[in-house]
Amino acid sequence: MNHAAHHGPTATRERPHPDDPARPAPVGIVIATRNRRASLAVTVRNLLALPERPEILVVDNASTDGTRAMLARDHPQVRVLTMPVNRGALARTHGVRALDTPYVAFSDDDSWWAPGSLSAAARHFDEHPRLGLISARTLVGAADAADPLNDLLAGSPLGTATDLPGTQVLGFLACAAVARRTAYLDAGGYHPLLFFGAEETLLAYDLAARGWGVTHCPDVVAHHHPDPRPRTDRPAVVRRNELLTAWLRRPLPYALARTRALAADARRDPDARHALRETLTRLPAALRARRPLPPHVERAARLLDGAAS
């Protein structure tokens, strides 16, 4: 179902390209949010100040904290797409479908883009037709500290490709990524089985399996200001989704080995027990949706596994 048609955005405004006021900006922004009204307001203010003046679409995952009223009152130029229930990471896919810009940048309700970064991303996509997704350099908090993932991505053993910018990767941060809209939709977007948490690797696999390049481009920069409070459920969700990703795309011996390792940890670790229980609940659906990676992508995934071990 096209949720853009079903729910309808609250408002639409065409934003001009900075180099040509008559041209719409080629990069739109999708923000998935749920009950984070205060931090979303900061994000939206920063995005509205960008020189690229991108179209902004907020996909609200059934918030109950007045998020939609705040946006309608303070930022009526921002489009809003309302999910009837919390759709998790799938909200981003609904947002991509609702936009018609050739490229889509993703922000979370605690992240935004550095001035000029969306223009840099658009140039990379324009110049490299096989490029499907850019993983940005991420700066964290008020001190703009480099996210540790930056160095891991920049040092990816997959190296470079002559027809792609940056360094080839099979991972990224969801709040610091820009995608070619056609590539994202061709790969199917985020997988419904994972909901939220470590959902990016599976999308990177699916893009690569369809022939799209996924690269880290450090000249594209995102700012991330995560809530400092601990997320107690995060470790279990991440381990669950890493294992489900293995069952969905990796060879059976690999998935079985990862399952045995989690089961061993579950004897003493409550997070591992929770992750194993939730994985087993979802395993029949994962097996039905299983689609092993093409050999060249599996080789790349194994190379990255070896680098991480």
Side-chain angles (χ1 to χ4, degrees), residues 131-133 135 164 167-172 204 207-208 212-216:
L131 180 60
L133 185 141
S135 170
L164 294 171
T167 305
Q168 297 180 96
V169 295
L170 284 176
F172 58 94
L207 284 162
W212 295 104
V214 181
T215 69
H216 175 63

Side-chain angles (χ1 to χ4, degrees), residues 4-5 38 41 43 61 105 123 125 154 170 172-173 210 212-213 229 233-234 272 274 303:
T43 289
N61 265 326
R123 285 193 297 272
F125 285 117
L170 284 176
F172 58 94
L173 285 179
R210 301 287 294 178
W212 295 104
R229 290 174 294 186
D233 61 336
R234 177 79 177 177
H274 186 200
L303 190 59

Side-chain angles (χ1 to χ4, degrees), residues 283-303:
L283 190 56
L287 292 172
R288 287 193 298 273
R290 179 172 166 77
R291 192 172 68 244
L293 295 173
H296 71 284
V297 182
E298 174 57 30
R299 285 194 296 272
R302 285 190 175 275
L303 190 59

Side-chain angles (χ1 to χ4, degrees), residues 229-275:
R229 290 174 294 186
R231 298 163 67 182
T232 55
D233 61 336
R234 177 79 177 177
V237 168
V238 167
R239 296 196 70 175
R240 177 198 77 193
N241 285 348
E242 287 174 346
L243 184 52
L244 286 170
T245 296
W247 280 105
L248 283 161
R249 296 291 180 265
R250 304 298 300 273
L252 285 174
Y254 177 91
L256 286 166
R258 291 292 300 265
T259 304
R260 284 195 295 269
L262 184 61
D265 289 348
R267 296 192 185 102
R268 60 184 182 278
D269 181 350
D271 285 335
R273 279 197 296 278
H274 186 200

Side-chain angles (χ1 to χ4, degrees), residues 15 29-33 36-50 54 56-58 70-71 75 78 105-114 118 175 222-227:
R15 293 173 165 272
I29 296 177
V30 167
I31 307 168
T33 188
R36 296 283 302 279
R37 181 182 63 184
S39 61
L40 176 64
V42 175
T43 289
V44 169
R45 285 197 299 271
N46 280 286
L47 294 175
L48 288 171
L50 289 175
I56 300 169
L57 174 62
V58 172
M70 178 275 291
L71 290 168
H75 304 294
V78 171
F106 297 96
S107 289
D108 282 353
D109 46 29
D110 57 5
S111 73
W112 52 88
W113 293 94
L118 299 185
C175 68
H223 293 278
H224 188 202
H225 287 240
D227 190 328

